[in-house]
Amino acid sequence: MPANVVGYAGIVESEAPILIAYDGSEPARVAVREAGRLFAPARALVLTVWEPAWAQLMLVPDPSGMGSTMMPYDPAVARNVERASEEHAQEVADDGVRLARAAGLQAQAILAEETTAPADAIVAAASAHDARAIVIGSRGLRGLKSKLLGSTSSHVLRHALRPVVVVRHPEDHDQHA
């Protein structure tokens, strides 16, 4: 097993696709390449989770410079922001598909709207698509950063009802070896 693969167990050949969580980050890119090494020429679903952004758009800097305030809700602006957010997520997923195909996988992009947390969306998508395994990159957060920002890969490992392959970023080895 490659040194940067942390969790890997019980994966057998199947027609069911693997699901690769992909956000465009370098750890996600490494995970896609590793998924190709482990599973090619399997079918792969490249999942990008996107967050509805209309509420964030409504926050504008306070004129005093001391925080932010809500601007009046405009449904047309909210729809445009949502559309742009989803289109950006599609572009990210399409980038992941290109990487996955270059790694020898039969890949297609899927999107999931985040309603609670990205990890929950990943687990739900894997279940909905009956994925045989989930492949996810890890940023290697430790200590306080991990507590404040959470660990998507750790959450997926704890909650997925299928095998999970966590691929650590190579720089993570240098820092935490």
Side-chain angles (χ1 to χ4, degrees):
M1 178 181 348
N4 62 335
V5 176
V6 178
Y8 178 84
I11 300 170
V12 295
E13 287 301 313
S14 168
E15 291 298 313
I18 62 167
L19 184 133
I20 304 169
Y22 186 77
D23 64 4
S25 67
E26 189 54 30
R29 297 174 76 77
V30 170
V32 170
R33 289 190 290 271
E34 196 62 46
R37 287 179 14 98
L38 292 170
F39 297 106
R43 280 188 26 200
L45 301 174
V46 178
L47 171 70
T48 296
V49 178
W50 66 282
E51 180 179 14
W54 64 267
Q56 295 163 0
L57 176 73
M58 301 296 117
L59 290 175
V60 294
D62 186 273
S64 69
M66 302 296 291
S68 60
T69 186
M70 290 293 287
M71 66 184 227
Y73 178 75
D74 181 341
V77 171
R79 277 191 304 276
N80 288 339
V81 171
E82 289 302 311
R83 190 174 310 115
S85 181
E86 187 172 8
E87 287 171 1
H88 174 71
Q90 185 66 55
E91 291 169 7
V92 171
D94 290 343
D95 176 57
V97 165
R98 283 188 290 279
L99 282 172
R101 288 180 180 163
L105 296 164
Q106 301 169 42
Q108 75 179 70
I110 61 171
L111 301 179
E113 184 176 337
E114 177 187 329
T115 56
T116 55
D120 291 330
I122 293 165
V123 170
S127 179
H129 292 279
D130 196 26
R132 64 178 160 140
I134 299 170
V135 178
I136 187 168
S138 174
R139 288 183 170 78
L141 298 178
R142 302 284 188 268
L144 184 59
K145 277 187 183 179
S146 177
K147 296 207 182 332
L148 291 174
L149 301 175
S151 171
T152 300
S153 58
S154 292
H155 184 90
V156 169
L157 270 169
R158 283 192 310 276
H159 297 281
L161 300 176
R162 62 202 70 247
V164 177
V165 178
V166 177
V167 182
R168 290 172 48 190
H169 190 276
E171 290 176 9
D172 188 32
H173 292 291
D174 298 336
Q175 296 171 358
H176 306 289

